C-alpha cells in the first residue's frame, strides 16, 4: 500500500526534559528548609553540602544542580527573606502600627531558629562582603521597608512632622528591640515591654 504524498506525516513526539533539566520545586524547598536547620544546628562555618543534603533527604547532586557552593546557597536563602518581608500594619494610628510591628518582629526574632541563625550570619558577614550585602538587603527590604511605610502613613495623618529625619526614625524604631532580642539575647522580654517601647518610640518620633 502506497502512502499518499498529501497525507500529513506523523511528527516525532517531543520528550519531556529529564535529569538536570527539571528541578522539582518540592526538592528545592526541602533543601532551603534544611539550610535553616543546619545553620541553627551547626552554624555557617561547620555547615556542609553533605549535611544539608542528608537533612533534606536528597543527594549532593540535587544541591549542586541548584547552587554551585555553600555560600551561594546561603546567599540565596537569606536574600529570599527580603522578598517575603513583613505585613505592613494599618491600624490607623502611629502607636497602633508600631505595637503590631513590634509584636510580629519580636516573635520572629525570638524564634529558636532565628535566634541562632541571625548572630551567626552577622559574624560571617563581618568576614564576607557578599554575605554582608545579602544580610543588609534582607534587613533593609524587610523590617526597614515596613517601618518606612508606617512613618509615611503617620506623616500623612499629621502624627509626625513633614520632612522628618528618615534614617534616625528607622534607627529609633528598629534599634531597641533588635538590641535586646539579638545582641544581648534577653531570654524573656519584661512584662509590658512592648507597650512601653511603643509609647516611648512614638514620643521620640514626634520629637524629630
Amino acid at each position: 500500500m502506497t502512502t499518499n504524498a498529501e497525507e500529513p506525516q506523523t511528527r516525532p513526539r517531543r520528550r519531556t526534559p529529564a535529569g538536570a533539566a527539571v528541578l522539582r520545586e518540592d526538592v528545592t524547598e526541602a533543601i532551603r528548609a534544611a539550610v535553616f536547620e543546619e545553620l541553627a544546628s551547626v552554624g555557617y562555618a561547620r555547615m556542609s553540602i553533605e549535611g544539608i543534603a542528608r537533612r533534606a533527604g536528597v543527594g549532593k547532586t540535587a544541591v549542586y544542580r541548584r547552587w554551585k557552593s555553600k555560600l551561594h546557597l546561603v546567599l540565596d536563602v537569606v536574600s529570599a527573606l527580603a522578598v517575603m518581608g513583613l505585613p505592613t500594619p494599618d491600624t490607623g494610628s502611629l502607636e497602633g502600627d508600631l505595637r503590631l510591628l513590634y509584636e510580629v518582629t519580636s516573635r520572629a526574632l525570638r524564634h529558636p531558629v532565628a535566634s541562632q541563625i541571625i548572630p551567626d550570619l552577622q559574624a560571617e558577614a563581618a568576614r564576607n562582603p557578599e554575605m554582608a550585602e545579602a544580610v543588609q538587603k534582607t534587613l533593609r527590604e524587610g523590617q526597614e521597608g515596613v517601618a518606612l511605610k508606617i512613618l509615611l502613613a503617620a506623616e500623612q495623618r499629621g502624627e509626625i512632622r513633614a520632612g522628618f529625619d528618615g534614617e534616625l526614625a528607622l534607627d529609633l524604631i528598629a534599634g531597641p528591640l533588635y538590641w535586646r532580642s539579638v545582641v544581648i539575647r534577653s531570654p524573656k522580654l519584661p512584662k509590658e515591654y512592648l507597650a512601653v517601647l511603643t509609647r516611648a518610640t512614638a514620643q521620640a518620633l514626634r520629637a524629630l
Side-chain angles (χ1 to χ4, degrees):
M1 181 175 178
T2 59
T3 302
N4 190 325
E6 296 182 357
E7 183 177 339
Q9 299 296 313
T10 302
R11 294 182 179 180
R13 297 177 61 184
R14 298 181 64 182
R15 296 180 59 188
T16 302
V22 176
L23 298 179
R24 288 172 47 189
E25 186 61 28
D26 59 331
V27 172
T28 301
E29 290 307 311
I31 295 171
R32 287 191 172 118
V35 171
F36 282 109
E37 294 170 3
E38 280 289 289
L39 282 172
S41 177
V42 303
Y44 179 83
R46 295 176 56 196
M47 187 179 74
S48 66
I49 295 295
E50 291 81 358
I52 293 169
R54 184 168 53 250
R55 190 180 289 271
V58 300
K60 288 191 299 181
T61 55
V63 181
Y64 282 118
R65 283 174 184 169
R66 293 160 171 82
W67 301 277
K68 63 182 180 180
S69 69
K70 178 178 77 170
L71 174 61
H72 288 87
L73 172 53
V74 173
L75 288 176
D76 175 65
V77 171
V78 171
S79 297
L81 293 177
V83 178
M84 294 168 59
L86 295 168
T88 302
D90 186 18
T91 65
S93 72
L94 175 59
E95 289 196 22
D97 288 351
L98 288 174
R99 178 62 184 269
L100 187 55
L101 175 64
Y102 285 148
E103 288 175 352
V104 174
T105 305
S106 177
R107 286 196 297 269
L109 290 177
R110 297 170 68 81
H111 187 281
V113 174
S115 64
Q116 294 293 325
I117 289 176
I118 293 175
D120 184 62
L121 289 181
Q122 287 187 317
E124 184 62 30
R127 300 183 290 268
N128 189 313
E130 287 185 277
M131 183 71 76
E133 182 179 355
V135 170
Q136 286 297 319
K137 181 177 184 214
T138 298
L139 292 175
R140 286 193 172 276
E141 295 186 10
Q143 181 165 345
E144 287 193 3
V146 174
L148 183 57
K149 291 179 182 178
I150 291 175
L151 290 166
L152 293 176
E155 182 184 36
Q156 291 177 348
R157 290 191 298 261
E159 294 181 275
I160 59 177
R161 73 174 183 83
F164 61 88
D165 185 332
E167 290 294 326
L168 180 56
L170 291 172
D171 289 344
L172 288 171
I173 292 175
L177 186 57
Y178 185 83
W179 169 266
R180 183 175 288 271
S181 299
V182 178
V183 179
I184 66 174
R185 305 182 72 178
S186 177
K188 186 177 180 180
L189 292 177
K191 186 178 180 180
E192 299 299 317
Y193 176 80
L194 294 182
V196 174
L197 176 61
T198 297
R199 290 194 297 270
T201 304
Q203 291 174 3
L205 292 172
R206 294 187 187 106
L208 289 180

